[in-house]
Amino acid sequence: MNLSVVKAYMLKEFTELLRTKMIIMVYLLPSMILLLFGYGIRMEVTHARTLVIDNDQSHFSRMLTAKFEHSKYFDTTVTQMSEAEALHRIKQAKTDIIVIIPASFEKRLLHGQKSEIGVFVDGAFPNRGMTMENYVQGVVLNAAQSVAGSLGSHGGLISINSRNLFNQAMRDENAIVPGLIGLVLLVAPAILSALMIVKEKERGTIFNFYASPLSRSEFLAAKLIPAFLLHSLNIFILFLWATEVFDVPFRGSFSLYWFAAEIYILISLSIGMLISVITSRQIVAVVLTIIITIIPGFLYSGILMPISSMAGGSYIEAHLFPVMYFNHIVYDCFLAGKGLASAKTAEYLGILILYAVILLLLGTALLKKELK
Amino acid sequence: MNRVFWVVFGKEIFGFLRSAGLVAVVLYAFTADIYIAGKGIQIKPRNVKIGYVDDTGGGISRKILSHLHRPEFLKPRRFNSQKALSRAIFNKEILVGILFDQDFEKDFRQGRKAQLNLLLDATAASQSFTTLGYLQNIVMDFSKPNFPVVIKSHKLFNQNADNHTFMALTEMLSVTTLLIVILTAVVFVREKEEGTWDIMLLMPVDPKLIILAKSLSQVMIVMAGVILALGFVIFGAFNTPMNGSFWAFILLTFFYSFSSAGIGLFVAAVSKSTMQVAQLSIIIMMPLIFLSGAWTPIYAMHPILQFLSLFSPLRYYIEGSESIFFRGTAFVDLLPYFGGVLVLGVLLYWYGFRKIGKLF
């Protein structure tokens, strides 16, 4: 490798990144995504707008409404609205849940007759709809247990005592922010490197490379190393945002996190570079990069659902994208802290390294150093 | 006058069709990409892997476990010690661990309070929580206090909590936004880069007309994509129900595309090269897409973000589209969404005309 030529080329790339203000993008974009999403995405449902229609107005029904009113999960309004009117409010997206307590609720209960509580949940957001449904059931069951206690029922009661591993307080931040690092470090470097070669193609300056004695691997090294070094800093910046701003605990080894992240950046840069090699217009490269990094990055990150419960095609696809492997390591570093002692982490790190090597070789093989 | 409009319009359409790569990417985005996004994710618990340690004789515990079956749960796997079980959870092989300790059955039989210990992998919060809910219900059935209340629960608009249609629709709206902003911005910036934009402005033609014709051409490209996506993916592959009016959705999409083209116009007005367009549109679009209420409803967000979302046309579009598709809202109740999209569109074009439609 001709080091002095590579160095000169790298210097040119650095200067260009500075002059085109691309450098702002390198540091603004990852932090912005992390902060906006960290504050913006909430899996947990709180303050669901709830209408309780109490047609009974008895001791029991009031006890039940009080349970709703005292829960942080519901913003409860007790009304005498008609059912149709309440449904109309759901259609206008002004209410999420309607709970209807039937007339003579208490009386029937005391006589041991069956009575029905009607619950309507806005299912337009499927997972929120399910969560809200579960919460409502939980509240009613809870009320049922305390009433049963006061009525003096017999028989053994089973209570469930659950321990949430890795995230005792069930903070949304702990569950989401580490996953976002995997998304950010996939998207941002890829967009940067996607433009690097195709830009020269569109402008025609790629002929400088065709005519120069630079070899293909030297050219790629010169293109990727500046981007790689600049993005390496983001590993630390994102780590600080996560631990300092979002208070995510870090239980694992920092050097493992660092090493895995560097490999991951290399993968992401190589993906962008591959796109850059096969496209001929900047616009196509940008759109293609966004589409093939953001969507899998989000779907297969483990933020929305664990990979283990995917089925069929998506289970295989998840294993084809690097984000799953990296996120396993990141979640381990932040929340579990087992490190390389766990065989799976070591295996995934190996896969990431293999991934990086394959992509780099592929990029070198596909890059052409001649006119078509 | 009219002729100029259509000539500019036609020129842009041909320009688009000539670039095979761009056509391919747009087609991919509106079909396969939406299909993958819709197919991939299922938030309802499915194939949840359960492990258990059973130190009881196995009467009640067997009964409880027999309630956990497909498709939600895989067959519970037995572990010999709590240590082995936690190791499996740490390796993400098991999502939920159930511990039946020695006293469990005894306590239950003697009418005392029996405790069931659960270990949940909290990094998969929604699945673990739903599993917890399932278990609570099962356990409730066992302890059956004398309390005859039935909860009759309806999930309106989407009774089975089918995630495929929802994800596919969200993805289509995001793709629409992404493409309309970038395509429009690039159409203007390329002329700026090549220096032909100044010549356009020097011509004795109203610049507003040129800007409108150019935006309309991109809007039409995206509309065609939306119709493809609706036909093949949304209705074709996923059988999404349409509870509201189809034409209301098309009209809303048209207005929305126009006002997002306004964002593209804004991006083009402030940037000088394709490179800058790429940066700026990503920086503007990421918050726009993810904070539009597609992933988290607006009212559940941080108050500052809630306020900012008022300025996002996508917010009105997504809420409007969800209302049309799932809630089947009447046209009168949709007017606020149309209003929001139109007002923002007019403002963006007003800025665009002033900034890019003048030589000096």
Side-chain angles (χ1 to χ4, degrees):
Chain A
M1 215 181 243
N2 192 342
L3 275 182
S4 65
V5 181
V6 174
K7 221 167 92 186
Y9 222 107
M10 270 169 54
L11 198 67
K12 174 219 148 210
E13 290 297 330
F14 257 122
T15 329
E16 213 161 71
L17 282 175
L18 281 176
R19 284 214 191 118
T20 52
K21 304 204 182 78
M22 201 65 186
I23 191 99
I24 301 177
M25 172 89 158
V26 170
Y27 293 111
L28 180 66
L29 185 68
S31 299
M32 190 187 79
I33 297 180
L34 193 74
L35 289 177
L36 277 176
F37 288 17
Y39 282 116
I41 295 182
R42 285 283 166 274
M43 303 306 250
E44 191 191 42
V45 182
T46 51
H47 302 289
R49 296 160 301 181
T50 311
L51 277 181
V52 178
I53 303 178
D54 184 355
N55 291 325
D56 193 31
Q57 300 282 354
S58 60
H59 174 66
F60 279 177
S61 76
R62 256 176 246 130
M63 208 173 94
L64 187 60
T65 35
K67 289 256 187 215
F68 276 102
E69 278 166 343
H70 290 143
S71 159
K72 71 167 176 170
Y73 299 114
F74 306 100
D75 279 351
T76 314
T77 326
V78 184
T79 56
Q80 297 287 334
M81 210 179 266
S82 78
E83 209 169 300
E85 211 175 315
L87 285 175
H88 185 68
R89 285 180 63 92
I90 284 201
K91 282 203 171 181
Q92 289 174 314
K94 284 182 182 157
T95 296
D96 301 308
I97 305 174
I98 308 174
V99 179
I100 302 171
I101 302 175
S104 69
F105 174 66
E106 187 178 62
K107 215 157 78 194
R108 293 177 70 94
L109 265 189
L110 291 174
H111 286 100
Q113 282 168 311
K114 218 169 165 186
S115 56
E116 267 179 13
I117 296 179
V119 176
F120 294 88
V121 176
D122 181 352
F125 260 102
N127 57 324
R128 286 180 64 84
M130 282 220 314
T131 318
M132 290 190 288
E133 201 183 14
N134 282 338
Y135 285 170
V136 172
Q137 274 172 359
V139 169
V140 176
L141 289 181
N142 181 306
Q145 265 181 341
S146 50
V147 169
S150 70
L151 287 179
S153 89
H154 306 288
L157 278 177
I158 301 177
S159 69
I160 291 188
N161 168 35
S162 64
R163 252 183 66 208
N164 305 314
L165 297 171
F166 316 127
N167 190 359
Q168 265 82 0
M170 287 308 287
R171 289 178 69 230
D172 251 355
E173 286 88 345
N174 296 6
I176 291 173
V177 172
L180 283 178
I181 295 182
L183 173 67
V184 166
L185 289 184
L186 182 68
V187 175
I191 289 174
L192 182 68
S193 68
L195 288 173
M196 291 187 113
I197 299 172
V198 76
K199 179 185 70 188
E200 301 224 19
K201 280 194 201 163
E202 206 172 86
R203 293 229 187 107
T205 47
I206 191 90
F207 287 99
N208 294 346
F209 159 60
Y210 290 167
S212 74
L214 213 60
S215 79
R216 289 184 302 183
S217 53
E218 284 167 346
F219 177 71
L220 287 183
K223 285 271 176 196
L224 291 186
I225 289 173
F228 178 73
L229 291 179
L230 289 176
H231 264 295
S232 295
L233 193 57
N234 270 324
I235 299 174
F236 300 95
I237 298 176
L238 294 177
F239 171 78
L240 287 180
W241 285 127
T243 48
E244 299 301 316
V245 177
F246 291 108
D247 281 324
V248 182
F250 191 86
R251 306 199 174 101
S253 105
F254 186 78
S255 45
L256 174 66
Y257 162 75
W258 186 21
F259 181 69
E262 296 280 13
I263 299 285
Y264 189 61
I265 287 183
L266 205 58
I267 292 175
S268 148
L269 285 172
S270 316
I271 293 177
M273 177 199 71
L274 271 179
I275 291 171
S276 209
V277 167
I278 58 172
T279 52
S280 55
R281 287 183 59 190
Q282 290 186 52
I283 164 84
V284 182
V286 172
V287 176
L288 196 61
T289 315
I290 294 178
I291 287 174
I292 70 171
T293 55
I294 292 189
I295 287 136
F298 207 64
L299 288 186
Y300 305 133
S301 60
I303 300 178
L304 288 176
M305 75 179 297
I307 311 288
S308 62
S309 30
M310 290 186 170
S314 36
Y315 183 78
I316 298 167
E317 267 163 50
H319 282 74
L320 290 179
F321 283 93
V323 62
M324 177 194 121
Y325 305 105
F326 179 65
N327 271 10
H328 179 86
I329 298 176
V330 170
Y331 275 116
D332 181 88
C333 285
F334 274 96
L335 303 176
K338 284 266 185 178
L340 289 175
S342 142
K344 203 148 188 184
T345 311
E347 181 192 330
Y348 280 4
L349 191 64
I351 293 177
L352 281 181
I353 295 173
L354 198 68
Y355 214 110
V357 172
I358 291 177
L359 282 181
L360 281 174
L361 289 178
L362 205 62
T364 325
L366 287 177
L367 182 68
K368 296 222 165 53
K369 196 179 185 274
E370 64 211 5
L371 282 173
K372 261 180 235 161
Chain B
M1 217 44 175
N2 216 353
R3 205 179 64 83
V4 174
F5 185 85
W6 292 113
V7 167
V8 176
F9 177 80
K11 173 202 156 224
E12 292 304 337
I13 297 281
F14 280 121
F16 169 76
L17 291 177
R18 273 195 201 118
S19 161
L22 198 54
V23 175
V25 168
V26 169
L27 279 181
Y28 172 81
F30 272 114
T31 51
D33 177 63
I34 296 176
Y35 182 77
I36 292 174
K39 201 78 195 155
I41 282 273
Q42 176 72 286
I43 290 170
K44 227 166 143 173
R46 203 176 46 180
N47 296 344
V48 171
K49 291 178 180 152
I50 295 186
Y52 68 99
V53 178
D54 192 352
D55 292 336
T56 67
I60 312 284
S61 57
R62 240 337 100 69
K63 272 191 194 153
I64 291 181
L65 288 173
S66 71
H67 281 84
L68 302 169
H69 48 70
R70 280 173 175 279
E72 287 90 353
F73 306 99
L74 292 181
K75 199 174 173 342
R77 222 170 94 194
R78 183 166 187 164
F79 288 86
N80 286 328
S81 69
Q82 191 179 339
K83 224 172 128 198
L85 179 61
S86 357
R87 192 174 330 122
I89 295 180
F90 271 90
N91 278 335
K92 306 254 165 174
E93 281 154 19
I94 295 289
L95 209 63
V96 177
I98 309 176
L99 303 171
F100 300 99
D101 57 22
Q102 278 166 343
D103 298 336
F104 176 73
E105 179 142 358
K106 212 164 62 201
D107 285 343
F108 182 76
R109 296 261 183 238
Q110 291 170 357
R112 268 179 305 185
K113 207 167 178 169
Q115 206 180 45
L116 188 63
N117 289 308
L118 277 194
L119 297 171
L120 300 175
D121 175 355
T123 53
S126 53
Q127 268 80 4
S128 311
F129 261 172
T130 324
T131 312
L132 182 62
Y134 268 81
L135 275 169
Q136 241 151 11
N137 267 331
I138 294 169
V139 162
M140 203 57 200
D141 278 348
F142 272 95
S143 26
K144 244 337 170 238
N146 195 10
F147 192 73
V149 173
V150 179
I151 304 173
K152 192 107 190 180
S153 169
H154 310 264
K155 279 191 289 299
L156 296 169
F157 322 124
N158 194 349
Q159 183 63 30
N160 302 322
D162 177 356
N163 240 308
H164 298 313
T165 57
F166 176 76
M167 287 296 296
L169 186 67
T170 308
E171 182 61 24
M172 184 180 82
L173 305 185
S174 312
V175 166
T176 309
T177 313
L178 176 87
L179 287 176
I180 189 71
V181 172
I182 293 198
L183 288 179
T184 316
V186 168
V187 159
F188 288 101
V189 157
R190 271 178 74 86
E191 299 240 13
K192 266 175 131 183
E193 265 185 322
E194 286 164 16
T196 46
W197 184 241
D198 292 346
I199 297 171
M200 281 278 213
L201 292 181
L202 280 172
M203 288 195 306
V205 180
D206 190 354
K208 291 194 182 73
L209 204 66
I210 300 177
I211 292 178
L212 283 179
K214 274 178 171 287
S215 329
L216 184 70
S217 65
Q218 304 307 309
V219 168
M220 281 304 158
I221 290 169
V222 170
M223 288 295 287
V226 168
I227 288 174
L228 273 182
L230 280 177
F232 284 112
V233 186
I234 305 282
F235 295 136
F238 292 119
N239 283 321
T240 312
M242 181 82 165
N243 295 326
S245 145
F246 178 75
W247 292 108
F249 176 69
I250 294 291
L251 197 65
L252 187 64
T253 308
F254 180 74
F255 285 140
Y256 169 71
S257 310
F258 235 101
S259 71
S260 300
I263 299 178
L265 191 64
F266 169 82
V267 171
V270 296
S271 48
K272 291 194 188 73
S273 64
T274 315
M275 193 87 156
Q276 279 181 342
V277 167
Q279 294 179 38
L280 252 181
S281 27
I282 291 164
I283 285 182
I284 291 179
M285 231 149 23
M286 292 289 273
L288 214 60
I289 290 178
F290 285 95
L291 303 179
S292 57
W295 302 99
T296 308
I298 309 275
Y299 65 84
M301 289 180 191
H302 198 271
I304 298 172
L305 295 178
Q306 280 189 38
F307 174 74
L308 287 177
S309 77
L310 286 176
F311 299 100
S312 152
L314 187 57
R315 170 190 174 161
Y316 304 104
Y317 183 47
I318 284 193
E319 265 179 47
S321 307
E322 274 167 11
S323 293
I324 294 172
F325 268 94
F326 298 121
R327 301 194 182 99
T329 313
F331 195 75
V332 185
D333 289 321
L334 290 175
L335 287 178
Y337 306 125
F338 279 93
V341 166
L342 281 176
V343 168
L344 287 170
V346 167
L347 283 176
L348 285 162
Y349 272 91
W350 174 76
Y351 180 82
F353 284 154
R354 288 184 47 138
K355 180 90 197 208
I356 203 176
K358 275 190 207 154
L359 257 186
F360 305 107

